[in-house]
Amino acid sequence: MGVVFTRANVYLGKSLFLISNKVTGPDIDMETTTITHGLGSFDVNTAFKAMKASINIQGYDKDVFRSVANPYSELNFTIYGSLDEYTNETLAKSEQAKLIIRASSQKFALLPELEAQKNPDWNIDFNASAAKLYIEGKEEYAIDNINLIYRIRGVDLLTKVRKNLALN
């Protein structure tokens, strides 16, 4: 059995932005602190590190470049794809995957790498401050570093922290 993520349609706001051949969603990476006591020490998770994301497209589109060229503007992406599960050659299951990312441009080329007789690959890297993943319309996770939100399947793990900080 194998699972394939087929091409992704990427929307910027409500407009179809591009079709991507590769999307790298943000990693959830934790900051830790070490607690030391008389018998030893251990690490505990304390905060989220900055998140990164990237989108790779084939071809060059000046409207895409214009949208990502301002590294100080907020970009809100919605990425739709299909998670297709195969048993041998048979398509056994297909589920919609939707990833929502709030980000700003971090790195992009003025032109993609150009090679004769080939579609150019253009990779765009983003600083992501929030991300939500839905499978078949159900929220799997939501993280928002700015607003101290972290939910796993609807359970908000930072409710008490926001209350302690008088943010609720």
Side-chain angles (χ1 to χ4, degrees):
M1 198 175 340
V3 176
V4 176
F5 183 72
T6 57
R7 74 175 198 181
N9 288 340
V10 180
Y11 290 79
L12 183 58
K14 294 184 179 191
S15 301
L16 180 60
F17 182 60
L18 53 92
I19 296 171
S20 177
N21 58 354
K22 182 177 182 183
V23 174
T24 304
D27 286 333
I28 297 172
D29 190 9
M30 300 299 297
E31 295 278 348
T32 62
T33 191
T34 301
I35 296 176
T36 304
H37 55 82
L39 300 174
S41 62
F42 58 97
D43 291 337
V44 294
N45 295 330
T46 56
F48 296 98
K49 292 183 181 179
M51 297 185 295
K52 307 290 182 194
S54 67
I55 297 173
N56 182 277
I57 58 174
Q58 287 187 326
Y60 177 77
D61 185 322
K62 61 185 173 191
D63 292 330
V64 171
F65 176 76
R66 287 182 187 131
S67 296
V68 301
N70 182 352
Y72 302 107
S73 68
E74 179 179 290
L75 302 168
N76 291 291
F77 293 104
T78 302
I79 303 158
Y80 291 93
S82 183
L83 292 173
D84 297 336
E85 186 177 305
Y86 288 85
T87 302
N88 297 325
E89 291 82 16
T90 304
L91 178 61
K93 186 177 177 183
S94 185
E95 296 179 306
Q96 182 191 66
K98 178 171 83 170
L99 178 62
I100 299 171
I101 301 173
R102 183 180 66 224
S104 61
S105 299
Q106 180 201 9
K107 179 182 173 184
F108 52 89
L110 294 176
L111 277 176
E113 185 175 312
L114 301 173
E115 190 174 336
Q117 311 304 321
K118 290 191 176 182
N119 286 334
D121 276 334
W122 197 35
N123 195 62
I124 308 166
D125 295 333
F126 301 98
N127 295 314
S129 61
K132 293 180 185 179
L133 175 66
Y134 296 86
I135 304 294
E136 284 297 301
K138 294 180 183 170
E139 184 182 271
E140 292 293 318
Y141 77 82
I143 183 170
D144 185 331
N145 283 346
I146 294 171
N147 296 303
L148 288 175
I149 295 170
Y150 186 53
R151 285 190 307 267
I152 299 174
R153 294 188 177 173
V155 177
D156 192 339
L157 303 177
L158 298 179
T159 300
K160 181 81 170 147
V161 172
R162 287 193 308 278
K163 182 178 179 188
N164 292 344
L165 298 172
L167 296 173
N168 275 351

